[in-house]
Amino acid sequence: MCPYIYITLPSYGVMAFVGGFAVLMVIYLRIERFQVPFETFLKLFFASGIGGFLGSKVLFAITQIPKLITDFSFENMLLLIPQSGFVFYGGLFGVLCTIKICTRGNGVMREQIYRMMAPAIPLFHGFGRIGCMMAGCCYGKRLKSAVLVFGVFELERIPVQIIEAVYEFFLCAVILMAEKYEKVDGLKLYLIAYGIFRFIIEFFRGDPVRGIFFGLSTAQWISLFILGYYLRKRCISRTGKRKTGLLQK
């Protein structure tokens, strides 16, 4: 007889599953509003999952190249991606690139899908960061002295995972509320708001396996690139409007 089945599950994997299920439900409830066919939604959801997985793995592997060069072996090279962890930015761009490839030739549909999925990105990442806390990864710097919270929890490190999770859920709510304004681009709002936050929060991280280049982490360099990209677009747009105005006069 076997009246009970005892199963040990990885906490990060469980939270990723919960986050993925929440995203699936949120996007499903929005497909009619954004006029995305259900069949297209299913194909993109599973394709994006694969693209996000590969993107997160590849970017982490790239950050480990200096370590591979220092301790090179064919075994380490072959296991670089299989044994690598996950990087959020890599997963995010993996998803966005997958959608762009799958919707090539249909820019209108692509924009609709990006708008539809915008609040789902911080929602998933929020659950992922809770998983990080439970798994003990992506931790913060050590505090000078432990802090007792609510007389129960003793914090020895800055709880960057929970701080980021709270911010992600807040950002999800902000994007949903901002959607009533047609001119607001939810994905653009997310990338800028998260880019600023991520650049700052990285200074409080204590885990060394992040890829540090010239004093900044990989995520900080990517955040700067995103912010620079949108700032450049804004400057070009403003310059274009000024030139148009002068021509009209």
Side-chain angles (χ1 to χ4, degrees):
M1 296 179 64
C2 185
Y4 301 102
I5 298 177
Y6 298 96
I7 302 175
T8 302
L9 297 174
S11 53
Y12 184 87
V14 170
M15 295 311 301
F17 176 81
V18 172
F21 182 77
V23 165
L24 179 64
M25 292 296 99
V26 168
I27 296 179
Y28 173 74
L29 293 173
R30 292 161 62 84
I31 60 174
E32 186 175 344
R33 175 186 171 188
F34 289 91
Q35 299 178 346
V36 177
F38 181 71
E39 185 179 345
T40 302
F41 157 70
L42 280 182
K43 289 179 180 178
L44 284 175
F45 184 81
F46 288 109
S48 297
I50 296 172
F53 177 84
L54 293 176
S56 64
K57 281 282 188 179
V58 169
L59 184 55
F60 186 89
I62 290 173
T63 64
Q64 301 305 300
I65 289 177
K67 183 179 178 182
L68 175 66
I69 294 173
T70 304
D71 186 23
F72 180 80
S73 70
F74 286 105
E75 182 181 359
N76 289 340
M77 185 176 68
L78 291 173
L79 296 175
L80 183 62
I81 290 181
Q83 289 189 347
S84 63
F86 299 93
V87 175
F88 172 72
Y89 265 138
L92 174 61
F93 289 119
V95 169
L96 297 180
C97 288
T98 300
I99 292 173
K100 188 170 185 177
I101 292 170
C102 293
T103 57
R104 61 187 181 278
N106 193 345
V108 175
M109 176 63 73
R110 182 186 309 134
E111 290 304 314
Q112 286 293 89
I113 291 170
Y114 282 162
R115 289 174 66 88
M116 179 181 70
M117 65 175 284
I121 298 172
L123 179 65
F124 175 78
H125 198 194
F127 283 106
R129 279 299 183 230
I130 294 174
C132 289
M133 181 204 67
M134 296 173 70
C137 64
C138 306
Y139 49 83
K141 290 182 177 179
R142 189 175 293 278
L143 295 168
K144 291 182 179 179
S145 58
V147 177
L148 196 62
V149 181
F150 304 122
V152 179
F153 303 104
E154 188 175 73
L155 294 179
E156 295 182 352
R157 294 181 178 273
I158 301 172
V160 290
Q161 308 101 318
I162 293 301
I163 293 171
E164 188 165 348
V166 171
Y167 180 78
E168 293 282 11
F169 292 137
F170 168 75
L171 198 51
C172 174
V174 169
I175 294 171
L176 288 171
M177 289 187 291
E179 284 183 346
K180 65 172 115 177
Y181 304 102
E182 290 296 326
K183 292 184 179 180
V184 175
D185 184 335
L187 182 59
K188 179 180 176 181
L189 172 61
Y190 171 75
L191 289 172
I192 293 174
Y194 180 71
I196 295 171
F197 172 83
R198 184 64 184 267
F199 183 84
I200 296 171
I201 198 71
E202 283 287 305
F203 288 113
F204 300 95
R205 290 269 295 265
D207 52 318
V209 190
R210 294 181 287 140
I212 305 296
F213 305 97
F214 303 104
L216 296 178
S217 69
T218 306
Q220 285 176 312
W221 285 113
I222 295 174
S223 296
L224 286 176
F225 174 80
I226 292 171
L227 296 173
Y229 171 78
Y230 281 114
L231 182 62
R232 180 174 176 274
K233 282 189 69 175
R234 183 174 178 80
C235 291
I236 292 173
S237 176
R238 277 190 167 185
T239 305
K241 285 180 182 178
R242 287 173 185 171
K243 287 181 179 180
T244 304
L246 288 171
L247 288 172
Q248 286 175 346
K249 289 179 181 179

